Amino acid sequence: MTLVLLDLDGTLMDSAPGITTSVAHAFRTLGLPAPDDRALRSFVGPPITTSFPAHGVPPERLAEAIRVYREDFAATGMWDATVFAGVPAQLARLREAGCALVVATSKPEVFAVPIVERFGLAPLVDGVFGAPLDEQGTKADVIARALATLDRRAGDGPLLDGPVLMVGDREHDVVGAREHGIDCLGVRWGYAADGELEAAGAVAVVDDVADLAARALSLLGLGA
């Protein structure tokens, strides 16, 4: 089997509007100055548990900030998102080429699964793996659980006996994949800062959604 691991926020979906609105709501509710728009966009991708402290939330108020954020996100923010134009067609092309597709996201799985279902991506992927609700761990941990689960599904024979590729838009996608000896194809349409993906060691970076499947298949040795 050839496996493609797919990040969600910034790779398959433009999730920034809902995430940044809920983050700003949390800062305002706590009476703290909200980050500017550029800083708010940096919240998209990494665990919220690390992003809040990095932007001024004191340790003693972190649990409160996370609670307020999640309440607002669950009510409205998680649905304020769109699938990037062209993504479904690219996923369909990868499946037609024989790839298994699995979402591997740092977003808590309790949010990721209904989002994938609500926005019509569920029929195009073979599984959705996310972080626990407390968001403890790293992207590498999410990938590890996805790989282990797929192996268990194999039954008597190995399922993960072909090449594996990660596709993501942030440095933690690249680093998490590398911990498992997996190359990461970066995507330019997400939320990475200029040069972030290259500096992290992405094997390549694709600029346009329309080129995603062809570039992934080429890196997997399946041609264009």
Side-chain angles (χ1 to χ4, degrees):
M1 182 196 70
T2 299
L3 174 65
V4 180
L5 299 162
L6 301 156
D7 177 50
L8 183 60
D9 299 328
T11 300
L12 303 182
M13 300 189 66
D14 181 5
S15 311
I19 293 173
T20 57
T21 297
S22 293
V23 167
H25 169 76
F27 275 94
R28 289 194 300 268
T29 300
L30 270 63
L32 299 172
D36 61 25
D37 289 344
R38 181 176 180 180
L40 283 172
R41 282 177 65 85
S42 73
F43 278 76
V44 186
I48 199 74
T49 51
T50 60
S51 294
F52 271 132
H55 289 85
V57 175
E60 66 273 14
R61 304 201 71 186
L62 178 58
E64 181 186 4
I66 292 171
R67 177 184 58 78
V68 173
Y69 166 79
R70 286 185 176 151
E71 288 175 354
D72 190 75
F73 186 73
T76 59
M78 65 188 291
W79 309 124
D80 189 4
T82 55
V83 176
F84 286 114
V87 160
Q90 295 299 302
L91 299 185
R93 183 175 176 188
L94 288 169
R95 287 179 71 101
E96 289 168 2
C99 298
L101 307 179
V102 169
V103 173
T105 174
S106 295
K107 185 187 292 297
E109 196 167 299
V110 295
F111 295 137
V113 171
I115 287 171
V116 168
E117 293 174 348
R118 172 81 165 262
F119 288 92
L121 295 175
L124 296 171
V125 299
D126 301 290
V128 179
F129 296 88
L133 189 56
D134 62 10
E135 297 189 48
Q136 295 300 306
T138 64
K139 190 60 171 271
D141 296 326
V142 174
I143 293 172
R145 190 164 64 84
L147 297 177
T149 301
L150 291 171
D151 263 339
R152 287 196 298 272
R153 288 180 187 172
D156 295 332
L159 184 61
L160 300 179
D161 57 355
V164 181
L165 181 70
M166 178 78 207
V167 179
D169 73 307
R170 297 296 308 274
E171 62 183 353
H172 63 279
D173 298 311
V174 182
V175 173
R178 186 188 302 124
E179 289 192 29
H180 297 279
I182 297 169
D183 285 336
C184 182
L185 171 62
V187 302
R188 194 79 69 189
W189 53 85
Y191 309 120
D194 290 344
E196 176 182 327
L197 291 164
E198 291 86 349
V203 67
V205 180
V206 59
D207 295 318
D208 194 300
V209 173
D211 299 323
L212 175 60
R215 183 63 67 89
L217 292 173
S218 177
L219 291 170
L220 289 164
L222 299 178

